[in-house]
């Protein structure tokens, strides 16, 4: 039977979409899959590349080395006019694995370039770019750029085949270039600087994306699914707590502790009121 969501859940899903910024993964993908939004964004994030045009863009680009290996899926994958490959990722939750993830993505983006018998000279540089809503390395920097360097004292940079760029959009570091700070502010909380053409363009593309009926339905479906998953997680936790509570009650009862004392004990242990603890006791004992 199809799950019926309440009016409150539907209203919450609608509100989440209407109020979403580019930190929303789904909205980010829908906006950045459009060349006229992605190209100027990449030009601002990596100005040293002097990207003139993008010849290829895909969303949710998949890699899988062998049939039983773990697959990888990139948010936005693009290739510029010089064959350089760029991966643009939005990351809201910190799983403390960004460098390892970036290394995996980079390895797959390099591996995919060569076919059997190809020379290594064909390899083109790859750029893995994470926009995060947290400080990824605890240094309070808005930008962390990782490249290959020589171990010699002169720190001579090697050919930039591998590049990792981490943009902390949650930061507003004053030493960061103003153009990047304005982009981060728009991604983070939707702040629009009317003097910045890129921000105005992104705001327009974002507004149209939110008005797209198909994307709106998909976004709401994902949001409702997330609500369902959170509810299921809470239920599982409550059931786990019920089992732990029941085990505590049974242990105390076996030790000969009176009912009222058991209720007082679990109220203190679980930080519950005496009334709530009594209801818990009665409910759990009835379910035995």
């Amino acid at each position: 039977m199809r799950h019926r969501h309440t009016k409150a859940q539907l209203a919450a899903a609608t509100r989440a979409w209407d109020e979403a910024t580019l930190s929303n993964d789904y909205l980010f993908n829908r906006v950045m899959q459009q060349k006229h939004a992605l190209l100027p964004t990449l030009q601002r994030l990596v100005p040293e590349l002097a990207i003139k045009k993008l010849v290829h863009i895909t969303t949710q680009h998949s890699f899988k080395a062998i049939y039983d290996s773990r697959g990888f899926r990139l948010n936005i994958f693009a290739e510029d006019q010089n064959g350089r490959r760029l991966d643009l990722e939005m990351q809201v939750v910190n799983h403390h694995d960004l460098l390892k993830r970036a290394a995996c993505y980079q390895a797959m983006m390099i591996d995919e370039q060569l076919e059997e018998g190809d020379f290594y000279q064909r390899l083109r540089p790859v750029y893995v770019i994470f926009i995060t809503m947290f400080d990824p390395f605890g240094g309070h920097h808005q930008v962390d750029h990782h490249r290959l360097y020589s171990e010699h004292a002169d720190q001579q940079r090697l050919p930039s085949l591998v590049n990792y760029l981490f943009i902390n959009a949650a930061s507003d570091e004053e030493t960061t270039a103003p153009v990047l700070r304005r982009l981060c502010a728009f991604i983070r909380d939707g702040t629009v600087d009317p003097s910045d053409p890129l921000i105005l363009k992104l705001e327009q593309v974002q507004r149209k994306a939110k008005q797209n009926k198909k994307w709106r339905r998909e976004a709401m479906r994902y949001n409702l699914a997330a609500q369902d998953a959170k509810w299921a997680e809470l239920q599982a936790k409550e059931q786990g707590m019920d089992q732990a509570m029941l085990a505590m009650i049974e242990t105390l009862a076996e030790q000969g502790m009176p009912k009222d004392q058991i209720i007082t004990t679990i109220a203190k242990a679980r930080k519950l009121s005496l009334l709530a603890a009594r209801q818990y006791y009665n409910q759990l004992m009835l379910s035995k």
Side-chain angles (χ1 to χ4, degrees):
M1 181 181 295
R2 187 176 180 180
H3 178 63
R4 293 176 63 88
H5 292 96
T6 66
K7 289 183 178 180
Q9 289 175 317
L10 293 170
T14 300
R15 185 168 58 254
W17 177 244
D18 290 338
E19 296 176 356
T21 67
L22 284 185
S23 62
N24 178 285
D25 190 65
Y26 182 82
L27 182 59
F28 179 81
N29 284 337
R30 289 307 186 187
V31 169
M32 291 303 166
Q33 73 181 39
Q34 302 177 60
K35 187 180 294 186
H36 60 284
L38 179 61
L39 176 58
T41 299
L42 289 174
Q43 289 171 334
R44 181 163 297 189
L45 292 174
V46 280
E48 67 272 19
L49 296 186
I51 300 173
K52 296 294 189 295
K53 67 176 181 177
L54 299 175
V55 298
H56 179 71
I57 300 173
T58 59
T59 61
Q60 301 300 308
H61 187 81
S62 297
F63 295 100
K64 194 171 180 66
I66 54 177
Y67 77 95
D68 60 350
S69 67
R70 172 168 180 167
F72 299 94
R73 184 172 295 170
L74 310 183
N75 279 167
I76 302 292
F77 175 79
E79 185 176 335
D80 74 359
Q81 76 279 359
N82 294 320
R84 293 171 296 202
R85 297 184 164 208
L86 303 104
D87 164 38
L88 183 59
E89 300 284 325
M90 171 56 63
Q91 187 68 32
V92 176
V93 179
N94 187 3
H95 297 294
H96 307 283
D97 61 358
L98 279 189
L99 274 175
K100 293 179 179 180
R101 284 182 59 190
C104 288
Y105 293 175
Q106 160 259 311
M108 289 296 180
M109 291 167 70
I110 288 180
D111 179 72
E112 193 184 52
Q113 295 184 48
L114 297 181
E115 297 180 0
E116 186 174 356
D118 284 344
F119 293 104
Y120 291 112
Q121 287 88 339
R122 288 191 62 248
L123 287 175
R124 293 291 180 266
V126 299
Y127 287 75
V128 180
I129 306 168
F130 275 91
I131 299 175
T132 70
M133 298 307 299
F134 51 86
D135 184 358
F137 307 115
H140 306 293
H141 302 303
Q142 190 151 40
V143 181
D144 277 290
H145 202 158
H146 298 244
R147 302 183 179 94
L148 291 180
Y149 285 91
S150 168
E151 291 184 355
H152 298 295
D154 60 6
Q155 290 293 296
Q156 177 183 358
R157 185 164 33 170
L158 297 173
S160 55
L161 181 64
V162 177
N163 299 269
Y164 306 146
L165 182 63
F166 302 93
I167 308 294
N168 175 12
S171 171
D172 194 24
E173 189 179 20
E174 293 184 358
T175 58
T176 305
V179 291
L180 185 56
R181 290 173 63 192
R182 292 197 294 269
L183 176 58
C184 287
F186 178 73
I187 292 171
R188 180 179 64 245
D189 50 36
T191 300
V192 176
D193 187 324
S195 67
D196 192 320
L198 171 59
I199 303 305
L200 292 175
K201 180 185 290 291
L202 291 178
E203 195 276 333
Q204 180 184 37
V205 178
Q206 176 178 279
R207 185 171 62 253
K208 289 183 177 180
K210 288 184 177 183
Q211 294 170 350
N212 184 294
K213 293 181 179 179
K214 178 182 177 182
W215 295 351
R216 185 182 186 88
R217 287 194 300 269
E218 287 183 351
M220 289 188 64
R221 185 166 67 247
Y222 293 146
N223 187 281
L224 291 169
Q227 289 186 47
D228 291 343
K230 186 175 182 179
W231 180 84
E233 181 181 358
L234 289 173
Q235 288 293 104
K237 287 181 178 179
E238 287 181 2
Q239 290 174 4
M241 189 174 72
D242 286 352
Q243 293 301 315
M245 190 86 76
L246 180 59
M248 180 188 296
I249 292 171
E250 289 180 334
T251 299
L252 296 176
E254 288 173 358
Q255 293 174 356
M257 183 179 289
K259 173 182 175 180
D260 288 344
Q261 191 175 347
I262 291 176
I263 291 171
T264 302
T265 301
I266 64 175
K268 185 176 181 180
R270 298 294 179 176
K271 296 182 180 180
L272 301 171
S273 68
L274 287 176
L275 177 60
R278 186 177 299 277
Q279 291 174 339
Y280 229 130
Y281 176 91
N282 293 335
Q283 176 187 349
L284 290 173
M285 296 306 288
L286 285 173
S287 65
K288 287 184 62 177

